[in-house]
Amino acid sequence: MNTLFDKIWDAHVVQQINEGPTQLYIDRLYCHEVTSPQAFDGLRARGLKCFRPGHIYCMPDHNTPTHDQDKPIQDPVSRKQVDALARNAADFGITHFGMMNPKNGIIHVVGPERGLTLPGMTIVCGDSHTSTHGAMGAVAFGIGTSEVEMVLASQCILQTRPKTMRITIDGKLGKGVTPKDVALYMMSKMTTSGATGYFVEYAGEVVRNMSMEGRLTLCNLSIEMGARGGMVAPDETTFEYIKGREYAPKGEEWEKSVAYWKTLKSDDDAVFDKEVRYDAADIEPMITYGTNPGMGMGITQSIPTTEAMSEVEKTSFEKSMHYMGFQPGESLLGKKVDYVFLGACTNGRIEDFRAFASIVKGRHKADNIVAWLVPGSWMVDAQIREEGLDKVLAEAGFEIRQPGCSACLAMNDDKIPAGKYSVSTSNRNFEGRQGPGARTLLASPLVAAAAAVTGVITDPRDLL
Amino acid sequence: MKQKFNIITSTCVPLPLENVDTDQIIPARFLKATTREGFGDNLFRDWRYNADGSLNKDFVLNNPLYGGQVLVAGKNFGSGSSREHAAWAIADYGFRVVVSSFFADIHKNNELNNFVLPVVVSEEFLKELFASIEKDPKMEVEVDLPNQTITNKATGRSEHFEINAYKKHCLINGLDDIDFLVANKDKIEAYEQHR
């Protein structure tokens, strides 16, 4: 009567500390340049070696520019951080995919696409969107830098066992409704803290029918409901996706692995601490209007009004409206947009580029729009070109940039100017997230494409 | 960093906002440092300073009435990014305790790993505490880790808070998880052989 989460967690318990956390063994640690330098320095200060360097993969993604990656990074502080990762990886004997390495990209895009992320694994990274990897049937969650240091030193982490939640989404998604919309819808219902303390398993017809890319988007956003992580039981879609990928098991090892992976599902009588159900028919293309990802609505709906709110809620809500320059009760359709960003670990995969291209094909970028299209990895970039999407996009007036986290958190030069509106396929619309004063509206690649060609917030269903 | 924790009696800095995310605690553009020090200067940077770099006099950290080692915030504190820099900024600024009715998971761990104590209180306690601070900015709270209690000294109201026995032991004795894990290598190797 175990859940999928229980099965994987239990198989990784080294010991249970009396009246304390669990010592959990970690199969895979990913490191990027922002949250790891202090951890490596911590090892040096303690005179420790890396315990299991073969389990660890490093790559820069947050600071990387999205142009001229073959030249040194111009910002000296960014360059120093990126160089520090290369040096730390070399010093501690860890594999590193540097900038311009064909295996480089956003860590949460690269892990699955290279077959480094596999079902049944425990996976951590100093990055909250590590939840992405749960789509492959892994227990994957974000950690802090002290915890990165723990894993470097011992391949283990001390964690309190989270509670379990199953979110079942049944029915069929309507036209123009994508996995991103499903996630934004759940967040709008659940709020950004509704799943805090829980590890979520996504289930139901919608999830079963979802592609691997879609599941990666869905699990990526688990953290935005506060969840420790999100996961999907591995199935034929998962195995098909993994088969033949560079680091995936091969030959006899493959057969053995698949046989084990097939056992990785919640038992029929498994008991979750919480069960939530949603109906696909209730979900339409979504857009956010506020300054946290839970402040989202169907694109045809209006921003809530404040009557029913408590004083503290109202203060936070009004602060948010002031920042965004919106009024409670207003609709966003037809609002002028300045920037469009396609990319990030949320929507920087091939399917996202296909979706974007499907709308802009035969149309043209609106004059008032600056569009940044950033593939999640060089592998995604190569596939875009292989499928000829680059030509479709170029004909419509869009250029493809080089891979990285880019405008999702604007640690490189891709900053949205203060006061400007950005329809973004990334994961967070917090104040200043895309640059000081930037106003972010989170949406799917279809909604982003519709805004890019019309220059205003547009229901993508009108263009499909 | 490894400051031993026992009983702290202090005035408070009130931040009566909900869903304060780690991007607000420390914006991404300040995450480029490769050391743990100095983040306190940029704690709540974009709320503390106006766009032109001048001090935002309306923000609580710039109000001379308020100060102390205890930050009191609305529910869902520390949501969003896992950046430990947020905990470093809070610690570096001089806070030893953060009080809220609800914390995001990753940030809560990050605070504990930096010897900052997250104290979860009831909504009622939090509401009363905000009211007490507003009435008298010099009022104090007592945070007693050994007994796991927090007391609003203005009203005398006291509440028990949860912390697991292991982490409490670590905080009181100035030990961290890496000390523990490295001392348990034999168990890790045994696990690897038998899995």
Side-chain angles (χ1 to χ4, degrees):
Chain A
M1 47 176 286
N2 277 337
T3 68
L4 167 62
F5 172 81
D6 295 328
K7 288 181 184 180
I8 299 174
W9 178 278
D10 291 344
H12 289 83
V13 174
V14 174
Q15 65 169 321
Q16 179 61 47
I17 299 166
N18 193 25
E19 289 188 70
T22 306
Q23 181 179 344
L24 197 69
Y25 193 82
I26 298 300
D27 295 317
R28 182 74 73 227
L29 167 68
Y30 294 116
C31 291
H32 64 65
E33 78 278 22
V34 181
T35 56
S36 65
Q38 294 86 350
F40 284 110
D41 281 349
L43 285 195
R44 288 190 183 96
R46 292 171 199 255
L48 295 172
K49 285 185 181 159
C50 179
F51 186 63
R52 294 289 178 255
H55 291 34
I56 305 167
Y57 288 82
C58 298
M59 67 202 78
D61 54 10
H62 282 56
N63 282 275
T64 50
T66 53
H67 56 86
D68 299 309
Q69 286 191 5
D70 53 327
K71 301 186 182 74
I73 300 177
Q74 292 201 338
D75 174 354
V77 196
S78 283
R79 189 169 67 230
K80 191 176 159 207
Q81 206 170 47
V82 169
D83 290 348
L85 182 65
R87 197 181 56 247
N88 285 330
D91 285 358
F92 289 93
I94 300 170
T95 306
H96 174 256
F97 303 151
M99 262 165 51
M100 293 307 288
N101 181 325
K103 297 183 196 177
N104 181 261
I106 305 172
I107 223 159
H108 307 312
V109 175
V110 171
E113 77 182 7
R114 292 280 162 189
L116 287 165
T117 293
L118 296 172
M121 279 184 164
T122 47
I123 300 173
V124 294
C125 173
D127 194 296
S128 59
H129 293 112
T130 308
S131 60
T132 312
H133 305 264
M136 314 284 297
V139 167
F141 52 93
I143 57 175
T145 300
S146 295
E147 294 168 315
V148 171
E149 190 180 336
M150 286 178 211
V151 184
L152 289 171
S154 69
Q155 207 54 40
C156 288
I157 192 170
L158 298 181
Q159 288 289 298
T160 304
R161 188 188 189 110
K163 291 178 280 187
T164 54
M165 180 191 298
R166 177 161 58 192
I167 301 181
T168 307
I169 312 145
D170 277 320
K172 289 204 165 43
L173 294 178
K175 186 174 103 170
V177 181
T178 70
K180 178 66 166 286
D181 301 301
V182 176
L184 286 172
Y185 175 82
M186 290 192 295
M187 286 177 229
S188 75
K189 295 289 168 202
M190 190 100 61
T191 79
T192 53
S193 59
T196 302
Y198 291 91
F199 216 98
V200 174
E201 180 180 341
Y202 299 104
E205 190 185 351
V206 166
V207 179
R208 291 268 70 88
N209 290 334
M210 221 177 248
S211 67
M212 210 56 235
E213 283 85 354
R215 293 177 190 182
L216 288 160
T217 299
L218 192 68
C219 289
N220 172 274
L221 293 159
S222 305
I223 181 70
E224 310 311 338
M225 305 184 292
R228 206 67 189 81
M231 62 199 309
V232 175
D235 59 10
E236 287 306 323
T237 303
T238 321
F239 310 146
E240 195 54 41
Y241 177 91
I242 298 169
K243 198 171 185 182
R245 291 195 186 253
E246 190 175 356
Y247 292 90
K250 309 267 164 20
E252 207 176 303
E253 203 48 44
W254 170 257
E255 300 301 330
K256 239 173 78 185
S257 299
V258 173
Y260 167 59
W261 295 342
K262 284 183 174 168
T263 68
L264 296 175
K265 54 186 173 194
S266 291
D267 295 332
D268 291 340
D269 56 354
V271 179
F272 290 80
D273 295 303
K274 192 172 178 180
E275 293 258 16
V276 179
R277 288 182 176 275
Y278 295 117
D279 185 345
D282 296 336
I283 310 174
E284 64 167 337
M286 297 283 295
I287 193 150
T288 65
Y289 54 84
T291 53
N292 75 55
M295 299 173 82
M297 62 183 185
I299 197 157
T300 61
Q301 294 173 347
S302 301
I303 298 175
T305 52
T306 56
E307 285 94 33
M309 295 180 188
S310 73
E311 266 322 293
V312 181
E313 277 171 350
K314 206 169 143 186
T315 307
S316 301
F317 187 84
E318 282 170 352
K319 186 175 187 304
S320 176
M321 287 297 102
H322 177 74
Y323 182 86
M324 293 301 293
F326 292 150
Q327 296 299 324
E330 75 174 333
S331 160
L332 292 182
L333 284 174
K335 281 250 177 212
K336 196 163 155 280
V337 174
D338 307 294
Y339 284 75
V340 166
F341 172 53
L342 173 68
C345 55
T346 312
N347 283 124
R349 298 184 184 80
I350 187 64
E351 268 194 6
D352 305 312
F353 279 78
R354 285 183 198 139
F356 192 94
S358 75
I359 294 239
V360 306
K361 188 175 184 174
R363 296 191 171 94
H364 203 272
K365 184 180 78 63
D367 290 340
N368 60 308
I369 296 287
V370 175
W372 290 333
L373 277 52
V374 184
S377 69
W378 283 114
M379 191 185 243
V380 173
D381 178 83
Q383 205 171 343
I384 289 170
R385 292 171 202 284
E386 219 175 273
E387 297 184 12
L389 297 176
D390 55 328
K391 292 188 187 66
V392 174
L393 294 168
E395 276 165 25
F398 295 93
E399 107 184 78
I400 298 164
R401 299 171 78 89
Q402 294 178 328
C405 299
S406 179
C408 175
L409 83 170
M411 278 191 77
N412 65 0
D413 294 337
D414 304 342
K415 292 177 172 57
I416 310 292
K420 297 292 182 190
Y421 289 101
S422 159
V423 174
S424 176
T425 67
S426 52
N427 40 58
R428 289 183 177 139
N429 51 355
F430 297 146
E431 285 184 33
R433 173 79 179 184
Q434 295 196 286
R439 292 162 161 171
T440 303
L441 299 97
L442 299 175
S444 75
L446 291 178
V447 172
V453 293
T454 60
V456 296
I457 309 275
T458 301
D459 188 335
R461 291 171 295 193
D462 297 343
L463 303 182
L464 283 170
Chain B
M1 280 284 178
K2 290 188 185 181
Q3 277 181 292
K4 291 185 184 180
F5 205 109
N6 203 292
I7 297 172
I8 284 181
T9 305
S10 168
T11 52
C12 303
V13 174
L15 191 65
L17 287 172
E18 296 185 343
N19 304 314
V20 173
D21 59 78
T22 53
D23 272 79
Q24 307 318 311
I25 300 174
I26 182 96
R29 63 188 187 280
F30 300 110
L31 306 186
K32 298 185 188 189
T34 51
T35 63
R36 292 176 192 243
E37 289 79 38
F39 288 101
D41 291 345
N42 293 313
L43 176 69
F44 296 117
R45 173 78 196 198
D46 292 340
W47 289 348
R48 246 163 108 185
Y49 297 90
N50 297 313
D52 62 4
S54 61
L55 276 188
N56 173 9
K57 297 233 163 61
D58 295 334
F59 187 61
V60 66
L61 292 192
N62 298 325
N63 186 335
L65 278 177
Y66 301 102
Q69 296 176 286
V70 178
L71 177 67
V72 184
K75 77 171 177 213
N76 197 25
F77 185 79
S79 56
S81 161
S82 60
R83 60 189 69 170
E84 192 162 321
H85 313 65
W88 297 335
I90 289 168
D92 191 51
Y93 187 85
F95 290 119
R96 301 290 312 280
V97 176
V98 180
V99 179
S100 179
S101 55
F102 198 92
F103 287 85
D105 287 329
I106 305 177
H107 180 70
K108 192 174 172 187
N109 280 349
N110 287 341
E111 286 192 5
L112 286 166
N113 285 333
N114 287 281
F115 297 84
V116 171
L117 180 66
V119 174
V120 183
V121 296
S122 66
E123 282 294 343
E124 298 71 43
F125 186 94
L126 186 66
K127 202 173 161 193
E128 187 184 277
L129 183 54
F130 277 133
S132 297
I133 301 167
E134 195 180 345
K135 202 167 151 200
D136 175 14
K138 295 296 161 214
M139 66 80 64
E140 290 182 324
V141 292
E142 182 189 84
V143 179
D144 180 339
L145 178 58
N147 288 309
Q148 296 177 228
T149 56
I150 176 167
T151 307
N152 175 336
K153 295 187 78 170
T155 61
R157 183 168 173 148
S158 197
E159 214 173 72
H160 178 83
F161 63 84
E162 291 297 328
I163 180 169
N164 73 56
Y166 162 84
K167 209 66 211 179
K168 179 171 160 181
H169 173 81
C170 284
L171 287 178
I172 291 173
N173 296 290
L175 300 171
D176 71 19
D177 291 351
I178 296 170
D179 299 328
F180 176 88
L181 287 166
V182 171
N184 275 277
K185 282 231 165 109
D186 52 332
K187 288 201 176 69
I188 304 169
E189 281 164 352
Y191 169 84
E192 286 176 325
Q193 273 160 20
H194 292 104
R195 66 180 303 190

